[in-house]
């Protein structure tokens, strides 16, 4: 059976009036192409549907090989509760936009709960784990509680000087939810797998996070 991966991306465009945001392109494009190269069936959904905004700073480093992935961001399907079923893994790329529309989106929280209850693969990179801070099992237990996870660190957030504009600090909030938070050096590739949960620290971790998803899925072949 062909493995099916659901990638969920942000639609949020603004941090402040003069600071635009959105999806961080590399965190989507690199994993998307890793999954496609494996022959997986990839569905791209966004919180609101439609064209996906890209963080302007992430386009500066655009790689020509990402064209296919970028095309998949046009006219995306809106995430629905039906997406809770029929996929082997869910992958949440980051970008600061996710900090605003992932944590309290009822549909995303429902979908993540179903994946967690079923023991399917949940993966997220950089700010993508913002989708996990309010995700719980049906009994209310946070899905990150007691799990070893990583994300964009508070140090990295302060270094890009966006900490004061965020609704919360991601590392600190994951720790509050009972996660065993681990990290590598800032701006270096670091990703971690704890059972069915796979997380990456920053844009540099996009490929290794996706490769851990592949490894986890291939174990179930």
């Amino acid at each position: 059976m062909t493995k099916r991966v659901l990638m969920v991306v942000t639609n949020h465009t603004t941090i402040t009036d003069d600071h635009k945001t959105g999806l961080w392109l590399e965190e989507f494009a690199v994993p998307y192409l890793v999954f496609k190269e494996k022959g997986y069936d990839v569905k791209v959904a966004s919180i609101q549907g439609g064209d996906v905004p890209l963080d302007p700073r992430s386009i500066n480093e655009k790689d020509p090989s990402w064209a296919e992935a970028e095309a998949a961001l046009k006219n995306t399907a809106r995430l629905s509760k039906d997406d809770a079923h029929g996929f082997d893994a869910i992958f949440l790329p980051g970008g600061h936009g996710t900090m605003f529309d992932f944590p309290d989106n009822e549909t995303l929280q429902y979908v993540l709960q179903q994946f967690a209850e079923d023991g399917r693969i949940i993966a997220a990179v950089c700010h993508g784990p913002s989708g996990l801070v309010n995700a719980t099992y049906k009994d209310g237990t946070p899905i990150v509680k007691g799990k070893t996870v990583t994300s964009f660190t508070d140090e990295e957030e302060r270094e890009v000087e966006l900490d004061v504009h965020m609704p919360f600090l991601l590392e600190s909030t994951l720790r509050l939810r009972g996660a065993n938070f681990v990290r590598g050096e800032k701006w270096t590739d670091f990703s971690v797998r704890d059972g069915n949960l796979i997380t990456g620290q920053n844009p540099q971790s996009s490929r290794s996070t996706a490769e851990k998803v592949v490894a986890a899925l291939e174990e179930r072949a």
Side-chain angles (χ1 to χ4, degrees), residues 23-113:
L23 169 69
W24 196 268
L25 181 57
E26 180 179 7
E27 295 167 24
F28 170 79
V30 171
Y32 177 88
L33 293 169
V34 167
F35 301 146
K36 286 297 226 181
E37 283 161 16
K38 286 298 294 184
Y40 296 168
D41 179 14
V42 180
K43 177 177 178 177
V44 183
S46 60
I47 298 298
Q48 300 296 335
D51 290 354
V52 174
L54 298 176
D55 188 300
R57 292 167 307 148
S58 76
I59 303 171
N60 301 338
E61 303 152 13
K62 191 153 54 168
D63 186 309
S65 68
W66 297 350
E68 177 195 346
E70 203 172 345
L73 296 170
K74 299 292 182 193
N75 196 28
T76 58
R78 181 176 181 145
L79 184 69
S80 82
K81 291 189 174 179
D82 292 340
D83 292 320
H85 309 287
F87 294 94
D88 301 287
I90 185 171
F91 192 98
L92 307 177
H96 281 90
T98 60
M99 295 285 286
F100 298 89
D101 66 357
F102 273 15
D104 298 313
N105 182 264
E106 184 192 351
T107 307
L108 178 59
Q109 298 307 310
Y110 173 83
V111 170
L112 287 167
Q113 184 174 83

Side-chain angles (χ1 to χ4, degrees), residues 30-31 34-35 91 123-125 150 188-193 198-215:
V30 171
V34 167
F35 301 146
F91 192 98
V125 65
T150 192
T188 62
D189 175 13
F190 183 82
S191 56
V192 62
R193 177 183 173 192
I198 297 165
T199 45
Q201 181 172 323
N202 46 33
Q204 292 80 4
S205 312
S206 300
R207 180 171 296 277
S208 68
T209 306
E211 287 172 346
K212 284 180 169 65
V213 173
V214 169

Side-chain angles (χ1 to χ4, degrees), residues 106-175:
E106 184 192 351
T107 307
L108 178 59
Q109 298 307 310
Y110 173 83
V111 170
L112 287 167
Q113 184 174 83
Q114 302 308 308
F115 271 79
E117 288 285 344
D118 294 346
R120 286 176 283 155
I121 303 297
I122 295 173
V125 65
C126 197
H127 287 93
S130 62
L132 307 179
V133 296
N134 293 330
T136 67
Y137 291 96
K138 286 177 181 168
D139 67 3
T141 305
I143 68 172
V144 298
K145 185 176 181 181
K147 293 282 195 175
T148 299
V149 301
T150 192
S151 74
F152 203 60
T153 63
D154 292 355
E155 180 189 18
E156 287 166 314
E157 199 69 82
R158 292 186 181 105
E159 197 159 292
V160 295
E161 299 181 347
L162 291 173
D163 53 305
V164 294
H165 299 300
M166 290 297 104
F168 58 92
L169 284 173
L170 187 46
E171 173 189 338
S172 294
T173 305
L174 288 166
R175 291 179 186 277

